[in-house]
Amino acid sequence: MKTFAHFFLLLAIFGLLACGSKKQTCASSPQAMFTPDMRGVEQQQFKLIDQVNSEEEVLLKNGHRLNILQSGCEKLRQEFRFSIPGRMKTDSALVWAELAIRELSNLALMDQRLLPMGQWAMAINSKKGEIRLAETLSLGQGFYVKIDRIPSAEDVILLVVFSNFVD
């Protein structure tokens, strides 16, 4: 129960508050999740695309890049794209779920404002045996996760998508 309370708090913190308009006019716009002064952050840029969409780019001191796409009003979506140096050629959903758990847990340790990431990691950990790549999985109480990967020649992008709807 605490996990889902933190999930809701996390969404509220990032300015993804529900609204009633069909024009996607929200009570608040997405907010940056990171700041340049956070431990572990090398560089950070945040761009508000419109009132309901944003993109944030973070270069971490461990060499990983993180892009965060936030969108929605009533249908809330946060997509984390972790660019991890090196090549991983596995299609094991368990391996990718464990990598997502590790990355989210590492973020939670960077700053107390990111502690809810640890709750995300615990929620994924409790369901990691059920995860299938590129498939949306219910974490319970109307919250969902989807984990996938995009390999390239130089690195791999780990996709972790949280939402309050089936994607």
Side-chain angles (χ1 to χ4, degrees):
M1 182 66 141
K2 230 180 185 182
T3 299
F4 301 109
H6 280 105
F7 176 84
F8 183 74
L9 177 63
L10 179 65
L11 290 178
I13 288 171
F14 303 134
L16 295 176
L17 302 174
C19 67
S21 171
K22 291 182 180 177
K23 290 185 177 182
Q24 291 285 311
T25 302
C26 294
S28 179
S29 296
Q31 302 293 313
M33 295 174 64
F34 291 82
T35 61
D37 65 329
M38 284 181 174
R39 182 177 40 157
V41 173
E42 187 74 32
Q43 296 176 1
Q44 180 267 355
Q45 287 186 314
F46 177 79
K47 179 171 73 172
L48 191 60
I49 297 168
D50 57 31
Q51 190 175 358
V52 297
N53 295 289
S54 69
E55 181 175 0
E56 185 168 7
E57 296 180 29
V58 183
L59 174 61
L60 301 171
K61 289 183 180 176
N62 67 4
H64 296 188
R65 289 192 174 279
L66 172 60
N67 287 353
I68 304 163
L69 306 174
Q70 298 184 74
S71 64
C73 247
E74 291 176 11
K75 290 186 173 184
L76 306 173
R77 186 174 197 275
Q78 289 182 317
E79 180 174 325
F80 293 79
R81 296 179 178 187
F82 296 91
S83 295
I84 301 169
R87 300 175 76 192
M88 293 179 60
K89 294 187 176 189
T90 181
D91 288 329
S92 167
L94 183 59
V95 169
W96 292 104
E98 288 175 347
L99 185 57
I101 292 164
R102 186 185 79 204
E103 292 297 323
L104 292 168
S105 295
N106 287 341
L107 293 180
L109 297 174
M110 290 173 52
D111 190 276
Q112 74 180 58
R113 292 169 284 185
L114 297 174
L115 285 176
M117 296 297 163
Q119 297 293 323
W120 286 106
M122 289 189 321
I124 292 170
N125 190 52
S126 72
K127 299 270 191 161
K128 69 182 177 184
E130 300 173 44
I131 291 176
R132 304 291 173 259
L133 293 177
E135 292 183 16
T136 302
L137 175 70
S138 173
L139 294 175
Q141 299 185 12
F143 300 110
Y144 302 89
V145 66
K146 179 169 51 173
I147 296 176
D148 204 359
R149 78 282 179 244
I150 303 171
S152 74
E154 298 169 7
D155 60 5
V156 63
I157 297 173
L158 167 65
L159 298 173
V160 182
V161 180
F162 297 106
S163 64
N164 65 351
F165 64 96
V166 177
D167 198 6

